[in-house]
Amino acid sequence: MNEHTGEVLLAAFKENDGYSAVWMNYDTGKMRIDNVDESLLDERPITSAFFNNYDIDIRSLPSCAKILTYGPAAGGIGEAGAFRLATCGEKILSLVPYRGFKKSRSMLKMVKDMEVSRALPYFSRLSGQFAASYTTLFINLAFDDLDESFKTLSFAAVEMERIHNHVWVMHKLANDAAQKVASAHLSALTEEFLRLNSIVFGSRYLMDYPHLYKKYGSFHERLKELESEFNGLIDELLHSRIFIDRLHTTGKLNSEDVIKNDITGIPARAAAVPRDSRKFSVLKDFYVNHEIRMEEDGDALSRFLVRVSEVKDSISLLKETNLPDKIRVPEKPSNGLRYGLIEAPPGDIFMMVHVEDGKVKSVKIRPPSVVMLHAFSIGVRGNVFTDYPFALDSFGLYFADADLYGGW
Amino acid sequence: MWIIRGLKKGIITTQFPKKDDETIPNSYYPDNLKNCTVFSDIQDFSCMGCGICKSDMVRREDHVEVRKALPLKKSVHIFVLDVGSCGACNREISLLGAPQYDFHRLGFFTTPTPKHADVLMVVGELTEDMLPVLRESYELMPEPKAVLAVGACASGIYLKRIEKEVPVSARVSGCPPQPKYILKALLQITGRWNE
C-alpha cells in the first residue's frame, strides 16, 4: 500500500487573472486553494478533464489508425455523451471523452441570486444518481443551523445512495458479461433499495430528502433482508469464472497511473492508493472508525471488489444508525465563502458556495464523474472493443454529472 | 446455483397492469400546487415534488396524458433519447427491464436505433447540442411513430422547447416518474390500457 500519495490536484478553475487550483492531501485531510499559472496545464494531465480540452494525438498513432466518434445518441452509453476513439482494427489505441452535450442545462444557472432554501431542489437535481451527496454537501456549506438529527439523516441518505449506485454498477457489469440471471437479480435488488429509499426518504433517488423524510419503523428489518439477498448474490457471482475472467485485467490503472493523473475515488482505492475523503468530508464525524477498502490490481475486477466491500460497510453502518423520529430542516443561511468535500459513490465531490444576504452568489463544482471519465480514458487504452463496456461500467460515471464541472 | 435461487425467490413481477400494485410506493406531490415557491406558473406536469412548498405532501400516481394514440398490436420498439437529463429518468427507464416490471412481457423492447423505433422516448431538458440529434432521430423513425415525453423536465418544465421540434404524442409527469407510470403511458399510447 502506498501510504503517502502526496497532494492531489482536486480541481482547477479559470479565473479572470489566470487559474485557481484546489489541492487536497488525503493523508492529512488538508485542503488548500491557490493561484497558479498556465504551466499547471502541462504538468497535470487531469487538467484536460477539467477544461474539457482533450485531443487525440494523431502523430503518436500508427498509420492504420482511424479516429471515430461514438455517441451521443446511439452509442450505447445510455446518456447524452460521447467518446472519440482511435483504433486500428480491434484495439482501442486512444480514447478521449467528448462531453458537453448537457452543459447548457439551464438548471445549473438558475440558482444564481436565489435564496438558499429555494435553491435546494436544484442542487438535489444536479445529478440524479448522486442527489443525496449534492444535497448534503450544499446544505452543509450553505446553512449554519444543522442539528444532530439532521446530520444523522444526511449520513444515512448518503450511505443508501452508495449502496444503490454500487449495486447498479454490479448489475451492469453482470449484464456486460452476459450473466443475464445474475444481472436480473441485481437489477431487482437495485429496485428494492430504491423502493426502500422512497419509503424512508420520500424519493427513490433521495432528492429533497430533508423535506420528504418520514420515520419508517421497519427500516433495519428490511435492510437486513436486502443484506442477506446481496451477500447471497455476490457469493454466487464470484463463483462465475466467466464473470471474473471478463473483468480481470480489463481497464487497468496501476498506482503510478493513479498518482500521475490525480485520480481519486474507487479507481484509486482499487489500485491500492488510499484516497477516500470520508474522514475529511462534511460528514466526517460519522467516519471516525472508517477503514478504507482497497484492492491491489487496479482493474475492473478490483473496482468491483471495492464496491462489494463498500456496500457491506454501508449496510453495517446503517444497521447501527438510529434514524431520527423527526428532523428540523436547516433554515439559517451561512453567509460567506465556504467549500468542502463529500464522498459520493464513485469518488469525491468538491463544492464551493458563496452565499451573501442568504442568497447564492456563486457555485463551483468538481463532480466525481469528470475524474472517472479521465480514469476510463487511461484504463481503456490497449484494450479491445469487447472490453469497452466492462471498463466503462466499472467506473460508475455519468455524463450528466461530469458536465456539471465548473462555476456559475 | 442460480436456478435454485430463482425458484426460491419465486415470481416477483408485478401484476400491474392487470391489477394495481400498491406495494410500489408512489411519488410525493403537494396537495395544492398554488403554494409552489419554485415556479410562478406551476402546472401538474412541471411539479418536481420537492416538498419545499407549504402544502401537505401526499403520495399519488404520476400524471399520464395521451394526446394522440398509436394503436399497435405487435411488439413495440422504443428508442430512448436523453436530450439533457440529470440521469434519474434514464435509470427508471432501464429499470422497466428489471424483473419487478419486465416490460418485455407486455411487448415493449428498446432499440439502439431510431430507424427501428415506433416510440421515441425523450428525457431531460433539451440542450442546444442535443437539438439536432432530437430532430434527426425523429426524422429517421419510420411511420407511424409517436413521441413520449418522460419526466418533469421533458413533459412539463421544458415541454415547449421539445414541442417546437417534434410533436409530443404523450407525456408522463414525475421527477423522476415511477417505472410503473412510464409503463402505463406506454400502454395507453399503444392502445393497450384497459381502465
Side-chain angles (χ1 to χ4, degrees):
Chain A
M1 191 215 299
N2 190 336
E3 286 294 345
H4 183 76
T5 65
E7 267 191 328
V8 175
L9 179 62
L10 204 62
F13 301 99
K14 181 107 178 71
E15 307 290 351
N16 293 334
D17 51 351
Y19 297 89
S20 64
V22 184
W23 304 92
M24 174 73 191
N25 186 316
Y26 286 85
D27 301 315
T28 62
K30 199 176 167 202
M31 201 190 314
R32 67 182 176 89
I33 300 174
D34 61 9
N35 293 320
V36 289
D37 61 33
E38 213 159 351
S39 64
L40 177 85
L41 309 186
D42 298 325
E43 291 162 14
R44 298 280 184 161
I46 189 78
T47 54
S48 297
F50 297 158
F51 298 111
N52 198 18
N53 59 358
Y54 282 110
D55 211 359
I56 290 179
D57 184 5
I58 302 167
R59 290 164 302 176
S60 65
L61 300 173
S63 59
C64 64
K66 297 278 180 291
I67 296 175
L68 55 103
T69 303
Y70 194 58
I77 299 164
E79 270 199 284
F83 293 102
R84 284 199 183 99
L85 58 92
T87 180
C88 180
E90 293 179 330
K91 200 173 264 191
I92 298 170
L93 301 171
S94 182
L95 175 146
V96 294
Y98 178 11
R99 63 179 179 83
F101 291 95
K102 300 192 181 194
K103 192 72 186 170
S104 56
R105 277 168 68 206
S106 61
M107 204 166 268
L108 308 180
K109 293 148 198 155
M110 284 163 95
V111 293
K112 194 163 165 57
D113 291 323
M114 195 180 268
E115 286 168 26
V116 287
S117 54
R118 280 189 61 213
L120 208 48
Y122 294 93
F123 280 87
S124 259
R125 285 160 181 80
L126 289 178
S127 175
Q129 316 300 338
F130 314 139
S133 298
Y134 279 102
T135 307
T136 303
L137 185 51
F138 174 68
I139 289 177
N140 274 270
L141 299 176
F143 291 90
D144 265 340
D145 53 339
L146 278 71
D147 63 20
E148 275 312 306
S149 62
F150 184 79
K151 287 180 185 172
T152 304
L153 183 70
S154 300
F155 161 73
V158 167
E159 287 307 321
M160 285 299 283
E161 181 166 88
R162 197 177 321 284
I163 296 170
H164 83 73
N165 272 285
H166 282 0
V167 176
W168 184 246
V169 168
M170 292 169 199
H171 146 73
K172 286 169 88 172
L173 290 170
N175 190 51
D176 296 336
Q179 302 292 292
K180 297 294 180 189
V181 179
S183 167
H185 276 286
L186 287 161
S187 68
L189 186 60
T190 305
E191 172 66 18
E192 293 305 325
F193 275 113
L194 294 177
R195 286 184 189 181
L196 185 58
N197 284 347
S198 176
I199 293 166
V200 182
F201 298 92
S203 161
R204 287 162 64 88
Y205 295 90
L206 304 144
M207 292 164 175
D208 314 299
Y209 72 85
H211 290 96
L212 302 176
Y213 169 73
K214 284 200 173 69
K215 173 97 174 175
Y216 175 56
S218 306
F219 175 63
H220 287 132
E221 205 177 307
R222 184 67 185 132
L223 203 58
K224 279 180 197 163
E225 289 168 5
L226 297 178
E227 178 188 31
S228 162
E229 175 80 12
F230 175 77
N231 290 339
L233 288 177
I234 295 305
D235 285 348
E236 200 90 59
L237 193 55
L238 289 176
H239 277 98
S240 165
R241 287 307 313 178
I242 298 170
F243 180 71
I244 289 171
D245 289 347
R246 293 303 282 115
L247 269 64
H248 187 47
T249 70
T250 300
K252 189 166 173 156
L253 284 158
N254 59 33
S255 58
E256 287 79 26
D257 294 327
V258 166
I259 291 166
K260 184 182 164 198
N261 287 282
D262 293 295
I263 305 297
T264 55
I266 296 270
R269 301 197 284 276
V273 181
R275 289 178 179 168
D276 188 320
S277 69
R278 270 167 272 202
K279 278 196 174 173
F280 319 117
S281 75
V282 292
L283 294 173
K284 60 180 183 277
D285 295 347
F286 295 90
Y287 298 103
V288 175
N289 299 317
H290 172 63
E291 193 183 322
I292 301 176
R293 297 294 177 181
M294 288 191 287
E295 292 289 328
E296 298 282 333
D297 291 345
D299 54 9
L301 181 62
S302 298
R303 291 188 283 278
F304 174 85
L305 293 172
V306 169
R307 283 196 164 84
V308 169
S309 301
E310 291 195 354
V311 169
K312 290 180 177 179
D313 285 350
S314 295
I315 293 175
S316 298
L317 288 167
L318 286 166
K319 283 196 307 192
E320 291 163 10
T321 305
N322 285 321
L323 292 181
D325 292 332
K326 275 181 106 173
I327 57 141
R328 189 182 54 77
V329 180
E331 287 175 343
K332 196 180 157 203
S334 65
N335 289 323
L337 183 72
R338 290 168 78 169
Y339 56 87
L341 289 175
I342 198 162
E343 191 72 25
D348 43 22
I349 302 170
F350 168 81
M351 190 188 287
M352 184 190 282
V353 182
H354 183 200
V355 176
E356 235 178 69
D357 300 326
K359 291 180 179 168
V360 179
K361 290 294 168 191
S362 69
V363 181
K364 280 181 179 155
I365 288 178
R366 194 282 266 139
S369 294
V370 83
V371 179
M372 299 303 118
L373 273 171
H374 186 70
F376 169 62
S377 73
I378 298 158
V380 79
R381 277 181 209 155
N383 285 211
V384 291
F385 275 103
T386 47
D387 292 330
Y388 169 89
F390 297 94
L392 178 63
D393 289 337
S394 68
F395 289 96
L397 59 88
Y398 294 92
F399 277 89
D401 185 51
D403 278 348
L404 295 172
Y405 190 93
W408 67 91
Chain B
M1 289 287 287
W2 289 110
I3 293 172
I4 295 169
R5 174 169 289 279
L7 288 170
K8 274 187 186 166
K9 204 164 172 63
I11 296 167
I12 59 168
T13 307
T14 176
Q15 294 262 324
F16 183 85
K18 274 187 188 164
K19 279 189 207 168
D20 193 17
D21 187 343
E22 288 180 0
T23 63
I24 307 171
N26 282 334
S27 301
Y28 276 117
Y29 286 96
D31 67 349
N32 187 351
L33 278 180
K34 284 180 185 166
N35 296 329
C36 180
T37 56
V38 178
F39 301 112
S40 53
D41 56 343
I42 185 82
Q43 307 289 321
D44 275 334
F45 282 84
S46 308
C47 181
M48 303 184 286
C50 65
I52 70 163
C53 59
K54 299 295 174 202
S55 303
D56 285 335
M57 298 301 286
V58 290
R59 288 190 190 269
R60 66 159 173 77
E61 295 185 7
D62 297 334
H63 290 289
V64 175
E65 180 192 76
V66 176
R67 297 165 171 182
K68 192 180 174 196
L70 176 69
L72 292 169
K73 286 186 177 167
K74 294 185 179 173
S75 297
V76 175
H77 287 83
I78 302 153
F79 180 66
V80 182
L81 186 63
D82 167 3
V83 294
S85 79
C86 73
C89 291
N90 309 44
R91 171 94 76 91
E92 296 298 46
I93 293 166
S94 299
L95 282 164
L96 287 170
Q100 287 94 334
Y101 303 103
D102 184 19
F103 72 157
H104 305 314
R105 76 197 149 102
L106 300 164
F108 297 113
F109 301 89
T110 52
T111 170
T113 166
K115 290 179 181 175
H116 189 51
D118 307 297
V119 176
L120 177 65
M121 213 186 254
V122 183
V123 294
E125 168 192 346
L126 180 58
T127 64
E128 281 300 312
D129 285 7
M130 289 308 289
L131 198 146
V133 186
L134 173 65
R135 280 186 199 141
E136 193 183 356
S137 298
Y138 183 75
E139 281 164 17
L140 284 171
M141 289 171 70
E143 295 284 354
K145 55 191 171 184
V147 177
L148 172 59
V150 174
C153 289
S155 78
I157 306 165
Y158 305 106
L159 174 69
K160 282 183 185 164
R161 211 183 281 178
I162 292 167
E163 277 179 325
K164 259 176 75 179
E165 306 303 326
V166 294
V168 173
S169 328
R171 53 183 183 151
V172 54
S173 74
C175 185
Q178 300 272 337
K180 179 178 156 185
Y181 297 109
I182 304 174
L183 196 53
K184 181 177 176 183
L186 283 170
L187 290 163
Q188 287 198 355
I189 204 172
T190 52
R192 298 170 184 195
W193 176 259
N194 298 312
E195 284 293 347

